[in-house]
Amino acid sequence: MRTDSSPGSLPAREHLPAAGAGTPVLDVVVPVYNEEKDLGPCVHRLHDHLTRTFPYAFRITVADNASTDGTPRVAAGLAADLPAVRSVRLEQKGRGRALRAVWSASDAPVLAYMDVDLSTDLNALLPLVAPLISGHSDLAIGSRLARSSRVVRGAKREFISRTYNLILRGSLQARFSDAQCGFKAIRRDVAQVLLPLVEDTGWFFDTEMLVLAERAGCRIHEVPVDWVDDPDSTVHIVRTATEDLKGVWRVGKALATGSLPLDRLGRPFGDDPRDRELSGVPQGLARQLVGFCVVGALSTLFYLLLYSGFRHFTGSQLANALALLVSAVANTAANRRLTFGVRGRGGAVRHQAQGLVVFGIGLALTSGSLAALSAASADPDHSTELAVLIAANLAATVLRFLLFRAWVFPDAEPTGPAREPRLPEPGPQESRVSGSRPPESRMPESRLPESRLPETRRPEPHLPDPYRAWSDATVRLQPVRPADTDHSRDAR
């Protein structure tokens, strides 16, 4: 697992501005290897669909993975005949290698890829990329395992796909449903941060990227798809499954040992609504609840031991009252210090007095339970008494926490170090666009300077000129209207 790069912070989610023209909004990569037969019909069908249905400028990039047949010739012909189609030649095989090379050098704000067989119905393409354009999500995947998906494929592939996803859920705690569907998209600013961490160059590439994205806190949008299996697929199932399992082991080991710098991928402070300080919304509830449960468990154990000891000398009612009184004083003191973070002696007497009122409520619940038990049975077993008291104490515990939080310690500040805002360092492009947006709404874009990329991550030398430089300017989207002429589309 590569750890020799400093990816920086993930960018803030923002809706891509929809004004101006120029850079394509979407770059769809079609990785191919020896696909001279299917490449032409695939690209023509995809280009026609995007021209008719996609409301923004787009680009289709054919990424040739060192094909040895006529695929390069077909790809070059498509690039010459169709507007917004490009061809890229790589001299090494590997779907992941092709996606990294094209995505790293693309200037489109939304990057996608799909398999050349077009097994996925293209009507899912716009729902796939729409959440990325709006800023709602960071990545999007097509899912053949969603309940509303409609899939036609053999039992063997169905079994392998479901088994693989169960392995991901069990070993890497993945929560996305379909890692292998060849129909995915990612925002370019997120890809610039994640790609240096992804090591695989083959079929496991997108699975590894999804796992790292999920662990880094990215939002992954899933789109149910209609999918028809390609009977002529050239994918070697056994070899691919073996490589995927090796990748699962490698990523799981890296996550377990902490060798991945995912803690540095946190978003800018304030992008996550859980980071915001809102008036009227109590803070520290989760930590207080955990502390209260720990103190409550120990107090219950202490109470039961006291009750069992007092029961040898007194009746059940008096033993319950004495045990509850002693444990209530200890419980209030422990919660005052450990759960609600109150230090010093100030207000200690008042807190204990209020705690005794809470104790009285608990006493009423438990005593009432014992009275009900005595009415039901003249001589109940000791184990039955303990069971009834445990149930009554659970009810009293819930009420005790609510009263402690709202009445006894209403102004207690949650303990622990306060979270400091994490602001990403300004990128080099901020000075170029500083005049276009007010300072309070401008969020620096996270970029990877070329000098900080390891040699294995630099764009492939065979990429055409449009891919040789990363665009620093803010991308403006231009909707394609029915009145657009062929000349304007060619200019794209």
Side-chain angles (χ1 to χ4, degrees):
M1 182 61 61
R2 300 187 184 277
T3 60
D4 55 351
S5 59
S6 179
S9 296
L10 287 168
R13 296 190 189 103
E14 291 182 307
H15 194 300
L16 299 177
T23 305
V25 175
L26 174 66
D27 193 347
V28 183
V29 182
V30 182
V32 292
Y33 173 72
N34 290 346
E35 298 284 356
E36 61 177 342
K37 177 182 176 182
D38 297 332
L39 179 57
C42 160
V43 173
H44 278 283
R45 179 182 164 193
L46 176 59
H47 185 274
D48 177 68
H49 177 84
L50 289 172
T51 302
R52 290 184 296 103
T53 65
F54 194 68
Y56 303 109
F58 64 87
R59 177 192 297 135
I60 300 173
T61 301
V62 179
D64 176 21
N65 289 154
S67 296
T68 58
D69 62 356
T71 299
R73 174 181 50 81
V74 176
L78 292 170
D81 296 339
L82 297 176
V85 175
R86 301 289 183 267
S87 175
V88 175
R89 167 75 176 182
L90 293 96
E91 299 303 330
Q92 292 179 291
K93 290 178 60 177
R95 182 182 68 173
R97 179 177 287 108
L99 293 178
R100 177 184 289 111
V102 178
W103 282 357
S104 296
S106 178
D107 56 354
V110 177
L111 312 168
Y113 94 89
M114 60 181 60
D115 293 336
V116 68
D117 55 18
L118 294 187
S119 296
T120 305
D121 183 19
L122 292 178
N123 287 327
L125 183 56
L126 185 55
L128 184 80
V129 301
L132 308 187
I133 294 175
S134 69
H136 174 271
S137 300
D138 303 296
L139 299 90
I141 64 173
S143 176
R144 298 163 296 184
L145 303 182
R147 180 167 298 180
S148 57
S149 298
R150 292 175 290 187
V151 177
V152 179
R153 61 176 169 179
K156 180 180 179 181
R157 287 182 176 268
E158 180 77 11
F159 174 78
I160 292 175
S161 179
R162 291 187 178 275
T163 302
Y164 179 64
N165 283 281
L166 285 176
I167 292 174
L168 291 180
R169 288 176 176 269
S171 59
L172 301 180
Q173 287 77 51
R175 289 175 291 178
F176 47 86
S177 65
D178 191 352
Q180 292 178 312
C181 183
F183 194 70
K184 296 182 176 68
I186 185 172
R187 286 177 63 105
R188 179 174 64 94
D189 48 14
V190 177
Q192 289 174 356
V193 178
L194 289 178
L195 289 182
L197 299 178
V198 181
E199 180 177 341
D200 192 81
T201 59
W203 292 95
F204 188 69
F205 169 85
D206 42 353
T207 299
E208 183 174 354
M209 181 180 65
L210 287 173
V211 171
L212 299 185
E214 191 172 69
R215 290 300 185 96
C218 294
R219 179 176 290 161
I220 301 175
H221 177 71
E222 296 197 15
V223 178
V225 298
D226 298 340
W227 196 87
V228 179
D229 193 13
D230 179 15
D232 299 326
S233 175
T234 58
V235 178
H236 194 288
I237 297 178
V238 176
R239 182 170 61 244
T240 301
T242 302
E243 294 299 322
D244 286 347
L245 292 177
K246 291 180 180 178
V248 170
W249 169 260
R250 174 175 51 80
V251 173
K253 181 180 179 181
L255 293 174
T257 58
S259 59
L260 282 169
L262 296 180
D263 57 328
R264 288 183 284 164
L265 299 185
R267 292 192 172 278
F269 183 78
D271 187 64
D272 192 326
R274 293 170 296 182
D275 293 334
R276 301 173 189 168
E277 294 184 1
L278 303 177
S279 58
V281 178
Q283 302 295 316
L285 176 61
R287 192 203 60 77
Q288 290 178 356
L289 187 58
V290 171
F292 182 83
C293 289
V294 173
V295 173
L298 296 176
S299 298
T300 301
L301 180 60
F302 183 48
Y303 160 79
L304 293 175
L305 292 175
L306 290 176
Y307 176 82
S308 298
F310 292 148
R311 186 67 175 83
H312 291 294
F313 308 102
T314 64
S316 61
Q317 291 288 2
L318 182 57
N320 173 63
L322 292 175
L324 195 58
L325 175 61
V326 176
S327 62
V329 173
N331 181 276
T332 301
N335 277 309
R336 181 177 185 271
R337 176 66 181 270
L338 302 178
T339 302
F340 298 97
V342 179
R343 301 291 190 267
R345 298 181 179 180
V349 176
R350 176 174 59 85
H351 291 156
Q352 283 292 348
Q354 291 172 316
L356 290 177
V357 174
V358 178
F359 151 75
I361 297 175
L363 177 62
L365 286 174
T366 54
S367 298
S369 300
L370 286 175
L373 178 62
S374 298
S377 176
D379 188 19
D381 295 336
H382 183 62
S383 59
T384 304
E385 285 185 347
L386 291 179
V388 170
L389 288 174
I390 290 174
N393 267 283
L394 288 176
T397 298
V398 176
L399 182 60
R400 186 183 303 120
F401 176 75
L402 297 176
L403 290 174
F404 273 178
R405 183 174 172 84
W407 180 49
V408 182
F409 308 107
D411 301 324
E413 293 292 335
T415 59
R419 295 184 60 180
E420 294 294 335
R422 288 184 299 171
L423 299 177
E425 295 183 359
Q429 76 282 6
E430 187 171 5
S431 60
R432 300 186 182 98
V433 297
S434 59
S436 60
R437 300 171 63 189
E440 61 272 12
S441 65
R442 194 165 62 245
M443 294 295 296
E445 180 184 359
S446 176
R447 298 241 357 264
L448 286 175
E450 188 70 13
S451 61
R452 294 170 66 181
L453 278 174
E455 290 298 324
T456 56
R457 292 294 184 246
R458 296 184 184 276
E460 296 287 340
H462 301 283
L463 298 177
D465 289 339
Y467 294 96
R468 292 191 182 278
W470 293 9
S471 173
D472 288 333
T474 302
V475 177
R476 303 291 182 179
L477 309 190
Q478 176 62 48
V480 179
R481 300 177 176 83
D484 289 346
T485 64
D486 292 338
H487 179 271
S488 62
R489 187 175 292 116
D490 291 342
R492 292 201 302 248

